[in-house]
Amino acid sequence: MINVSTTQRRTWVPFVTVFLALVLLVLPVQELIRGFLPDWVSLALIYWALALPTRMRVSFAWLAGLAVDLVTLGIPGAHALSKAVLVYLAKILALRVRAYPLWQQGVVVMLLLGLEVALLAILDLVTAGELGELHRWTAVIVGGLAWPLVYMVLRRSRHLANLGH
């Protein structure tokens, strides 16, 4: 009889959750609703950077951002840069933010998402001469409000994958 250990670590789970967030990003949605949807990829990356700061790499965030650039046909490298900065900052703040109650974490997440949107707006201004889409700011607020749900789902997946701290 084969003995399968239930304590096996599934280190692929963060990659799969970021991929699923990327799929959520490209699902067809009415334009009116799209403006209110948070950046699921950023939320997943923030979670993993806060939960596992020593394992989450800025290079992985850059690759995830490059994938966002490819599927959204955006400025090549814009999301790659913004996601790398986002994960870098989340890793720096990880030990402090993890001690906060969930609602305060949501505020920090909203600030991180806002910083990412500001960086993308600056890149739009420099490259295209315009500020880009203003609905991004609504998505920042929705992202902060969605943080408790994202946190609980990804925390559960982290525990099922046996990926402690």
Side-chain angles (χ1 to χ4, degrees):
M1 191 153 163
I2 299 173
N3 184 11
V4 177
S5 175
T6 59
T7 60
Q8 179 183 1
R9 292 170 53 143
R10 294 167 184 88
T11 56
W12 48 266
V13 169
F15 303 106
V16 170
T17 59
V18 171
F19 176 77
L20 290 175
L22 186 64
V23 169
L24 283 175
L25 181 72
V26 297
L27 283 178
V29 177
Q30 290 181 352
E31 196 57 39
L32 178 66
I33 296 171
R34 181 166 299 286
F36 291 97
L37 292 178
D39 186 343
W40 299 112
V41 175
S42 291
L43 288 172
L45 289 171
I46 290 171
Y47 174 80
W48 292 112
L50 293 176
L52 304 169
T54 58
R55 294 187 195 155
M56 176 52 72
R57 301 282 183 238
V58 174
S59 58
F60 174 67
W62 187 84
L63 289 172
L66 196 57
V68 171
D69 286 330
L70 291 173
V71 298
T72 62
L73 302 174
I75 301 166
H79 284 95
L81 175 64
S82 70
K83 303 279 188 248
V85 169
L86 182 74
V87 165
Y88 176 76
L89 293 174
K91 285 174 58 146
I92 288 174
L93 298 172
L95 292 178
R96 282 183 235 137
V97 174
R98 286 195 328 220
Y100 294 167
L102 206 49
W103 72 270
Q104 284 180 336
Q105 286 183 17
V107 172
V108 172
V109 166
M110 206 178 302
L111 292 171
L112 286 170
L113 292 173
L115 183 65
E116 180 185 22
V117 167
L119 181 59
L120 288 170
I122 290 169
L123 289 172
D124 281 345
L125 186 62
V126 169
T127 58
E130 57 187 45
L131 283 177
E133 303 146 351
L134 293 177
H135 67 78
R136 290 180 183 170
W137 294 102
T138 307
V140 168
I141 295 167
V142 174
L145 295 173
W147 176 250
L149 176 64
V150 171
Y151 174 87
M152 287 187 275
V153 168
L154 292 179
R155 182 172 188 247
R156 181 72 177 144
S157 69
R158 187 183 92 222
H159 287 297
L160 288 174
N162 197 26
L163 296 173
H165 294 304

